[in-house]
Amino acid sequence: MRDHDFLFRGSGDSGQLLMELKGVSKSLDEKLILHRLNVQLPRNRIIGLAGRNGSGKSTLLKLMAGIWKPDEGRIFRYTKRISYLMPRDIFYSWMRVRDAVQFYQSHYQNFASEKACGLIENMGFDRKTLLRKLSDGQRELLMLILVICVESELYLLDEPLTGADAAFKRDVRRFLMEYLPEGASIVMATHLLRDFEQLFDQILFLDHGKIVEKDTEELRETCGMSVEQYYLERFRK
Ligand SMILES: Nc1ncnc2c1ncn2[C@@H]1O[C@H](COP(=O)(O)OP(=O)(O)OP(=O)(O)O)[C@@H](O)[C@H]1O
């Protein structure tokens, strides 16, 4: 297997795949960001996406989401039910929690309103609160709840949590395990490897435009390393 190839072990059956990238390259402002990537996204996996600042994580997620097109190569999507959470939310500051819910209700046919309202209440949100009065962590959590409640098969999450405290992150891990629709997959770009590695089945590291894939269980068992330790070793230079 070439270093930049990510091939899910035992796969090859596109029926079990949600997406496949073949030879995908992308340049921005004439700078090569992603170079001939081969990526397969299977069902029922939580996949971390890691790499240094500027390594191309957001670029890759935008390509997967169909927001940007590759310069070279092809992306095969085997599902149309893809939800993308961008790193910054798009809501106006005059909006309240209930307006954000309504925005999702009116924009996404497959938005599970009842589930969203229940979760929002369970997580302690008041529907009347102005979004600008929420803390960064609360706002991130709200956006995550809304996006997970769009019933999808693939969730592309671009740094969903940056301002969350430890207890919050624990709640979010539980929330993702519990409320992710059956068989759905997540690709989550994050710098918070220590916080989320227990959640990840696999991890994709972006390194100089290429991808290195690791099975997290294998890393722990065979190499005796956590994802974060591996990352620090590999990206030391
Ligand atoms: N719209 C754009 N136009 C030109 N260059 C861009 C654009 N967006 C990103 N870039 C550049 O592409 C490279 C990859 O950016 P990207 O945002 O994908 O990285 P990232 O891994 O998500 O970074 P971070 O971890 O800091 O969020 C960076 O060098 C960035 O400056």
Side-chain angles (χ1 to χ4, degrees):
M1 191 190 291
R2 288 194 305 270
D3 206 25
H4 60 277
D5 283 355
F6 160 44
L7 294 163
F8 179 58
R9 288 159 303 118
S11 184
D13 171 9
S14 61
Q16 291 307 309
L17 294 178
L18 294 169
M19 193 182 292
E20 212 170 359
L21 281 71
K22 290 190 176 174
V24 165
S25 298
K26 182 74 181 171
S27 296
L28 293 170
D29 286 345
E30 295 178 13
K31 187 171 141 203
L32 183 64
I33 310 294
L34 304 173
H35 185 53
R36 294 189 182 155
L37 299 188
N38 295 309
V39 180
Q40 294 185 336
L41 302 181
R43 287 177 193 277
N44 206 18
R45 288 282 180 284
I46 302 188
I47 302 167
L49 177 59
R52 302 191 79 143
N53 289 116
S55 58
K57 299 180 293 299
S58 297
T59 305
L60 180 57
L61 289 178
K62 282 180 187 149
L63 290 171
M64 288 173 171
I67 294 167
W68 285 350
K69 293 205 178 330
D71 300 328
E72 192 187 9
R74 293 193 66 186
I75 299 180
F76 299 90
R77 293 184 183 81
Y78 304 118
T79 177
K80 288 185 177 161
R81 298 173 66 191
I82 299 173
S83 291
Y84 167 69
L85 178 68
M86 58 184 77
R88 281 168 292 280
D89 70 65
I90 44 162
F91 294 119
Y92 296 110
S93 57
W94 55 262
M95 290 171 97
R96 296 174 190 273
V97 170
R98 64 180 176 221
D99 299 315
V101 176
Q102 194 155 22
F103 177 91
Y104 266 74
Q105 274 167 344
S106 53
H107 283 79
Y108 297 97
Q109 269 183 349
N110 45 347
F111 181 66
S113 295
E114 266 180 43
K115 178 172 158 185
C117 292
L119 275 170
I120 284 167
E121 204 180 304
N122 281 351
M123 293 285 183
F125 290 99
D126 179 340
R127 287 165 57 83
K128 294 191 288 299
T129 306
L130 282 163
L131 295 183
R132 70 178 137 84
K133 294 202 173 171
L134 295 175
S135 72
D136 289 348
Q138 289 169 325
R139 201 165 158 131
E140 286 175 343
L141 178 62
L142 178 65
M143 297 309 132
L144 190 59
I145 291 173
L146 292 173
V147 87
I148 292 292
C149 287
V150 179
E151 298 281 346
S152 303
E153 292 190 299
L154 178 61
Y155 295 89
L156 304 170
L157 309 179
D158 197 350
E159 294 195 47
L161 295 167
T162 52
D165 67 37
F168 223 61
K169 283 181 279 205
R170 183 202 55 208
D171 291 346
V172 168
R173 284 195 298 269
R174 283 192 194 146
F175 156 76
L176 286 175
M177 294 301 283
E178 204 169 327
Y179 292 101
L180 193 66
E182 187 81 18
S185 289
I186 291 180
V187 182
M188 183 199 289
T190 186
H191 292 287
L192 304 174
L193 292 178
R194 195 182 306 176
D195 293 307
F196 288 108
E197 64 173 86
Q198 296 298 331
L199 208 59
F200 297 147
D201 301 300
Q202 294 158 236
I203 182 106
L204 306 178
F205 295 101
L206 266 177
D207 187 15
H208 294 92
K210 297 179 178 180
I211 271 189
V212 179
E213 180 268 335
K214 293 284 169 197
D215 180 288
T216 49
E217 196 65 30
E218 215 169 276
L219 257 186
R220 278 189 285 269
E221 282 180 9
T222 323
C223 312
M225 276 187 190
S226 68
V227 170
E228 191 185 42
Q229 282 167 335
Y230 178 86
Y231 176 85
L232 290 173
E233 279 286 308
R234 183 164 181 119
F235 296 90
R236 206 163 27 181
K237 298 170 237 65

